[in-house]
Amino acid sequence: MSKSTSNSKPWTTWHLRLHKKLLFNKRLLPNGACLLLAVSGGQDSMTLLKLMLDLQRLHKWKLNVWHGNHSWHNHSGTFAKELEAWCESKKLKFFLDVSTKEETKNEAKARDWRYEKLIKTAYMISSTEIDHPCQHVITGHTATDRAETLLLNLARGSDIRGISSLCEKRPLNKTIQLVRPLLNFNRYETAQICNEMQIPIWVDPSNKNTNLSRNKVRQEIIPVLEELHPGCSLRMAAFAERMSSQQQNQKALVSLALKTIKNS
C-alpha cells in the first residue's frame, strides 16, 4: 500500500467536476440509488471510491464495495485484507470474491469472472434491500482506459462498434446497469488526486507486465502520445463517446424504420 503525505481537502475541483457531470446527466447515477462499486485498490478505483464517498451526502446513495482477488500475485490476499480494513474504517459494506488462477488465467476470463461475481453480489444486496434494489455496478474506468481500447480496436481493424466501446453506461443484464462515471478523468489526474487527497492505493505487480497488450499500450504508447499532444486521452475518449452516441442513434432509427414497415 502506498500513501501520500499532502493534506487532504474536503472539497476540490475534482469533486466539482464529477458532481457537475452527475447533475448534467441525472440518469447516470440517480439520487438515492443503491450502488455497488468495483474496487481493485488501484489509483483509478480508489479515486472513484473516495469521490463517491465524499459526494454521498449530496446524492443520498447507498454505497457498497466489491473487491475481486484474482490470486495473480503473492500479496493479493494481504491487499484484500488492507482494503477491507480501510472500507470498514469508512463504514462501507465490503464484499470479497476470490478466484483460482485457472478461473482468471487471462484478461478475458478475469473480466467475465468479475462481472459474474458483481451481478451475483448485486442480487445478494437486493435481497436485503427490498426497497432499494442494487441495480447499478460502478467501475473506475477512465478516459485513458477508453483511449487504450480505442487504439487496440483500431489496430485490430474494428468497426464503429469497437471504436465506440467502453461507454458510460450499458446493461450487464435485464436489471443491472454498468456505469463508468470517471470517463472524463485520465490516469494522470487520478494519480494526482490520490496524492493530493492522501488516498491509499494497492498496486498490482501484474500491471507492469508488458506482455499484456493493454499494459504495453498504457506504458509505452499512451505516454508518447500525451507528450506529443497533451490531453489526447480525454479527446480520444470524447471521440469514442461521440461514436457511441452515433451508433445508438443509428440503432434507434433502424428500430423505428422496422416498426414503421411492420405497421404499414
Side-chain angles (χ1 to χ4, degrees), residues 24-227:
F24 179 76
N25 186 358
K26 294 184 177 180
R27 291 186 298 176
L28 194 63
L29 292 176
N31 278 359
C34 181
L35 310 177
L36 179 59
L37 279 64
V39 177
S40 68
Q43 67 184 57
D44 296 341
S45 64
M46 289 304 293
T47 292
L48 170 71
L49 179 54
K50 174 60 174 168
L51 293 181
M52 295 285 287
L53 187 59
D54 290 348
L55 293 176
Q56 183 180 20
R57 61 183 176 83
L58 299 175
H59 297 270
K60 312 300 180 186
W61 298 312
K62 294 180 181 296
L63 299 181
N64 303 274
V65 174
W66 177 88
H67 175 71
N69 177 357
H70 296 84
S71 302
W72 281 346
H73 58 89
N74 295 332
H75 301 293
S76 60
T78 301
F79 284 7
K81 289 180 180 178
E82 290 179 353
L83 176 59
E84 181 176 10
W86 189 88
C87 289
E88 288 179 350
S89 73
K90 305 297 181 182
K91 296 181 171 52
L92 289 164
K93 287 186 177 180
F94 183 87
F95 299 88
L96 172 68
D97 279 298
V98 182
S99 76
T100 64
K101 290 184 178 180
E102 179 61 27
E103 286 179 305
T104 54
K105 63 182 179 181
N106 57 47
E107 292 174 277
K109 281 185 173 291
R111 182 178 61 251
D112 292 342
W113 177 82
R114 286 195 299 272
Y115 287 143
E116 176 189 342
K117 297 302 182 182
L118 282 163
I119 290 172
K120 182 179 178 180
T121 303
Y123 282 144
M124 186 192 315
I125 295 169
S126 295
S127 68
T128 62
E129 296 279 353
I130 305 299
D131 296 330
H132 296 88
C134 184
Q135 298 178 332
H136 296 82
V137 167
I138 319 301
T139 67
H141 290 101
T142 66
T144 306
D145 293 297
R146 200 167 196 183
E148 292 163 1
T149 301
L150 173 63
L151 290 173
L152 286 167
N153 286 344
L154 279 174
R156 296 181 184 117
S158 177
D159 58 12
I160 190 172
R161 182 177 179 182
I163 294 172
S164 61
S165 62
L166 216 66
C167 53
E168 280 191 335
K169 190 173 185 177
R170 72 170 179 86
L172 278 180
N173 61 18
K174 292 182 179 179
T175 59
I176 299 174
Q177 295 289 320
L178 175 67
V179 183
R180 303 178 175 107
L182 292 190
L183 289 181
N184 61 332
F185 293 77
N186 62 37
R187 281 187 57 80
Y188 300 98
E189 291 173 325
T190 59
Q192 185 179 348
I193 291 168
C194 288
N195 182 59
E196 288 180 2
M197 300 177 66
Q198 294 186 299
I199 305 171
I201 60 173
W202 291 266
V203 181
D204 187 337
S206 65
N207 289 342
K208 297 180 181 179
N209 180 7
T210 54
N211 289 326
L212 300 175
S213 56
R214 183 172 293 274
N215 287 349
K216 195 172 187 68
V217 170
R218 176 171 297 173
Q219 295 179 38
E220 299 180 8
I221 297 176
I222 292 291
V224 173
L225 292 176
E226 284 287 350
E227 183 179 355

Side-chain angles (χ1 to χ4, degrees), residues 160-161 164 242-252:
I160 190 172
R161 182 177 179 182
S164 61
R242 291 195 299 273
M243 293 298 98
S244 177
S245 296
Q246 181 177 332
Q247 186 187 29
Q248 290 174 12
N249 290 338
Q250 288 176 344
K251 285 183 178 179

